[in-house]
Amino acid sequence: MTVVMDRDGGNLARTRRLGLARFENAVRREVIRRGDIRPCLRIVRRLFTALTDTAGVVAHRRGAFERIGWILTDWDSARTQLVDTEARMAAGLDELGLTELVTSIDGLSPVGAAAILAETGDLHRFTSARAVVKHAGLAPRERTSGTFAGKARLSGAGRPALRTAAWRAGWGCLQNNRVYAAHYRHLTSRDTNRLKPTQAQTVIAAAILRQLHAVVTHEQAWDPHIAAHGLPKRSAMIAA
């Protein structure tokens, strides 16, 4: 849509005269400029075919394209602000002298760590790693009443933004951290008390908070062998 709007001002006939090959090249250049690798040609070709579609109220298309232009402007502005914010977050982590420590956890990016620390503050103020997990609301809480004992569920208390930051950090760690990946596979494939993917991801998010606390408070880089020590035997063997 950026090609249609910026190059041809929403003039579909003019864009159509480019031909499919030149249109694909123009879209590819725009996608690369925005930081991606390549466009989805299936979508590009269907959009090019739709340029000559006369269905709908043609008279309203000018207004629709104007609104699309506003959306694209807002999107570009948000992306610029995001890049600036992430750079400032990484710079703040550098100023604290924590970048090398926190990124020693395989898969945890400076921005991911900074997002967590922005919600926790100084990790030294927590008496234990479990306290950080409870602060995020990721600690399980048993449901008991008299003789009734229900399933343990997350407390839901704490800081929602911290839970979100830890959850997002877990995605990168599952892709690049063999210890967490092995533990996740164990949790979702074991014969007893098998967890659903979202439940296992929550466990990984809590593990990241615990080990981030240990790394920062003890001022020692993350060690995969130490990290795997507390895992079930099967997970530890796979990680090794």
Side-chain angles (χ1 to χ4, degrees), residues 126-167:
F126 293 94
T127 57
S128 66
R130 179 172 174 77
V132 183
V133 176
K134 291 179 66 176
H135 187 60
L138 291 174
R141 178 181 63 185
E142 293 185 357
R143 301 174 62 192
T144 59
S145 177
T147 58
F148 170 78
K151 293 183 178 179
R153 299 181 181 274
L154 295 183
S155 66
R159 298 181 67 91
L162 178 55
R163 285 198 299 275
T164 300
W167 179 278

Side-chain angles (χ1 to χ4, degrees), residues 185-213:
R185 289 194 297 271
H186 168 72
L187 293 172
T188 55
S189 63
R190 62 190 179 186
D191 295 331
T192 58
N193 194 26
R194 180 179 301 177
L195 299 186
K196 297 178 180 179
T198 52
Q199 293 173 318
Q201 289 161 7
T202 300
V203 173
I204 298 302
I208 291 172
L209 292 181
R210 287 194 299 270
Q211 295 183 11
L212 185 61
H213 177 271

